[in-house]
Amino acid sequence: MGSVLKSLLLGFIAGAIAMVTVHELISQWLYIHEYTTRIPWSMEPSTLTGYPQIATDAVLGGVWGALFALILGAVPRGSMTLRGALLGLIGPGVLGALVLMPLVKGEPLFLNQDINLIWPFLVTATGFGAVTAWLYGFLSSGCRLP
């Protein structure tokens, strides 16, 4: 398998796993403490695809993971967790949740500048990014811990 294709596949897997675990665990904590109304691990149909929300989220997490793999490279080096947290904050956090999704849904950009709505998205995206990059580094190194 070519190194780019392998990187994309490993990034997709890392992103999907990070989405259905860490992203949803952070979302659960935020939901329990009433910082968000988003129900984690929801089986309700997604407004975007019509498939269960958790399945849609897993695929979107995989797509972000594949994009992270392209950015991080086939042989990632350095602090993957820190680099991933930054990628998560910028990519899925700011670009995805605050710009792209509102455009798709016809809602105001940056959640109408309501900080109480914005910070939960940024926290979950940062956690997702950190774990996605760490998992990608782990998988691309042959499952060896650093």
Side-chain angles (χ1 to χ4, degrees):
M1 183 184 309
S3 67
V4 173
L5 183 58
K6 181 181 176 185
S7 294
L8 290 173
L9 180 61
L10 293 176
F12 186 92
I13 292 167
I17 291 170
M19 181 61 79
V20 299
T21 57
V22 173
H23 182 278
E24 295 302 290
L25 285 169
I26 295 169
S27 295
Q28 177 73 20
W29 186 88
L30 292 167
Y31 181 75
I32 288 170
H33 296 297
E34 299 178 357
Y35 293 118
T36 184
T37 57
R38 182 189 182 281
I39 299 171
W41 296 290
S42 175
M43 294 300 289
E44 294 297 317
S46 166
T47 57
L48 187 62
T49 64
Y51 292 105
Q53 185 64 52
I54 190 65
T56 301
D57 290 346
V59 171
L60 288 173
V63 170
W64 279 110
L67 183 59
F68 283 17
L70 288 176
I71 294 168
L72 295 170
V75 183
R77 291 179 181 18
S79 174
M80 295 302 287
T81 306
L82 184 58
R83 292 170 65 197
L86 185 59
L87 285 174
L89 178 63
I90 294 168
V94 174
L95 184 62
L98 302 180
V99 177
L100 294 177
M101 287 310 293
L103 285 174
V104 168
K105 293 181 176 183
E107 297 172 356
L109 297 179
F110 293 95
L111 299 172
N112 220 15
Q113 292 79 40
D114 185 347
I115 193 65
N116 292 319
L117 297 175
I118 292 172
W119 77 263
F121 279 104
L122 298 181
V123 168
T124 54
T126 301
F128 162 78
V131 173
T132 298
W134 185 90
L135 277 172
Y136 173 67
F138 178 72
L139 294 172
S140 64
S141 70
C143 299
R144 289 186 310 245
L145 293 174

